[in-house]
Amino acid sequence: MVTHSGDGDTFWDIVQKGAKQAAVKDNINFLYAHNDEAQQQAQLVDSYIAKGVDGLIVSLAKPDAMKAAVEKAVKAGIPVITVNSGAEQSKAYGALTHIGQDETVAGEAVGENSTSAGRRRRSASCTSRATSATSSAAPERRRPSAANSSTCMSTAPTCPT
């Protein structure tokens, strides 16, 4: 498994722990590597290809940077599953499947959950490939397209789980 995690990322620590437990149960030699820099993540995938792994699970937080490495693995006959990010590119790159959720739908659900829990709307800083903007979180919802994907960083307090 190769992810875009940085050191000490709680989410990926939990994912890694669960994957290790599943590997032990199924008598699989589990390898895990991560780097939050896309080019280094791609190099980690290349190193696993060179090791001749039997399969790869890869996150595609920066899909363009990962494309060649994923396609190389597929061409080498290594089954690839993408996880967490990159759902739109997964099939095009040759992965068997993608495990994850629609990030836009998930973000909207968190916003709706926060609103129904009585959280006040706060401003959010949104950037896209086409433009950068800071806007107030309004009822209008922006859905990113493949040509104009967006990333939003909210200043709202942590959402309830």
Side-chain angles (χ1 to χ4, degrees):
M1 177 182 277
V2 181
T3 71
H4 65 276
S5 167
D7 288 329
D9 184 311
T10 305
F11 172 80
W12 287 109
D13 290 346
I14 293 168
V15 170
Q16 180 184 5
K17 182 179 178 182
K20 281 181 180 178
Q21 289 172 347
V24 167
K25 178 183 74 64
D26 293 332
N27 197 27
I28 294 171
N29 181 23
F30 176 75
L31 304 174
Y32 178 80
H34 63 92
N35 198 300
D36 57 2
E37 295 295 327
Q39 291 302 324
Q40 285 77 19
Q41 184 190 6
Q43 290 172 358
L44 291 169
V45 170
D46 287 340
S47 75
Y48 280 4
I49 295 167
K51 288 180 183 183
V53 297
D54 295 318
L56 277 168
I57 299 172
V58 180
S59 63
L60 299 177
K62 305 280 188 202
D64 293 341
M66 295 295 295
K67 180 179 181 182
V70 171
E71 289 176 340
K72 181 178 176 182
V74 170
K75 187 175 181 179
I78 299 171
V80 177
I81 295 172
T82 60
V83 63
N84 179 258
S85 53
E88 291 181 18
Q89 295 82 4
S90 179
K91 186 175 183 177
Y93 293 1
L96 295 175
T97 193
H98 177 79
I99 301 170
Q101 61 192 17
D102 181 295
E103 293 165 349
T104 301
V105 172
E108 289 174 353
V110 168
E112 289 169 7
N113 187 19
S114 294
T115 301
S116 67
R119 303 273 187 200
R120 294 181 315 183
R121 292 179 187 228
R122 301 276 178 99
S123 64
S125 174
C126 297
T127 60
S128 72
R129 280 189 251 172
T131 61
S132 292
T134 301
S135 64
S136 175
E140 176 183 308
R141 294 188 180 142
R142 239 175 50 176
R143 290 193 179 267
S145 67
N148 186 19
S149 66
S150 299
T151 304
C152 295
M153 301 297 293
S154 175
T155 59
T158 304
C159 298
T161 55

